[in-house]
Amino acid sequence: MVAGTSQLRRRLGFCGHWLALALYVLAALFPLFWLVKIAVTPTDLLFGEGIRLWPSSTTLGNFQTVLGATDFPWYFLNSVIVSLGTAVAVTAVAALSGYALSRFMFRWKNAVAFFLLLTQIFPLVMLIAPIYRLMTPLGLVDSLMGLILVYTAYNAPFATFLMQSFFEGIPKDLEEAAMIDGCTRFQALWRVILPLTLPGMGATLGFVFTAAWSELLFALMLISTETRMTFPVGLLTFVSKFSVDWGQMTAAAVLALIPACAFFAVIQRYLVQGLTAGAVKG
């Protein structure tokens, strides 16, 4: 009797666990479903049918208009360039600076870490004016390179702490053994330590790519030429003074998910490779 009751409790707990997980997945995916639903709904049915789980008829006209009659292909390309450039630059800077903070003892180390952390407490609104004044004489306003530099400077401190935590999880004995075998410190870092931190570098790439891909304020303030706008700024072109083109806006948002999903598919592969290499070498 006791064994049967215990087995029943385990089954109920198992079912409750999966039920809670299914409810969480549904709640997380429902906004995406609603986004796709509005994107394929004809304009005359969007307000005429009221709130429905799925429209009575669907259309791909919104996607065709976004791709063929607007500048959104340029917005997508600009966002890909800026996001990839920022992710690569920040990961490279964070890897070197995180390694230095985790391995070397130097004067004012705590002060450097404190000031890096201090940069993250300022709201973006406070940084727009000084950054604009700084970039204008350098000719970096209204350019994708200037936007990449701003994103790199803003995301590098947090990414540095993220990489530092991964480096601190790797024993120093590994690189010391490599240096005893004849490697320089840089060779030990490149051949031994960095392969073990591929999961951390993948997490950093993903975090920075997402931050740059969805950032609006800097891109809105620093970019004025329409062909250089990024995806978040381009969404504002569907908002007019008296109306919002919900169908085309949501279609553009759905299309913007494709590069991000493709990027994370690549990152996931490298994460698995990094975890496997770390398990074998460890």
Side-chain angles (χ1 to χ4, degrees), residues 87 90-92 94-95 158-167 170 193-208 267 270-275:
V90 171
T91 303
F158 180 81
T160 296
F161 287 110
L162 191 63
M163 288 301 302
Q164 180 186 1
S165 64
F166 281 99
F167 281 120
I170 299 176
I193 303 302
L194 286 183
L196 298 179
T197 57
L198 285 180
M201 297 179 69
T204 304
L205 276 170
F207 166 78
V208 177
I267 290 300
Y270 284 111
L271 283 174
V272 174
Q273 291 177 353
L275 288 171

Side-chain angles (χ1 to χ4, degrees), residues 38-41 43 46 62-63 66 244-252:
I38 297 177
V40 299
T41 301
T43 304
L46 189 58
N62 292 322
F63 294 93
V66 167
V244 179
D245 195 331
W246 293 107
Q248 294 184 21
M249 178 182 286
T250 53

Side-chain angles (χ1 to χ4, degrees), residues 130-143 145-147 149-150 222:
I131 287 178
Y132 190 89
R133 289 289 302 273
L134 180 64
M135 295 179 62
T136 300
L138 300 176
L140 295 175
V141 175
D142 196 23
S143 71
M145 180 57 67
L147 201 58
L149 291 176
V150 171
L222 298 177

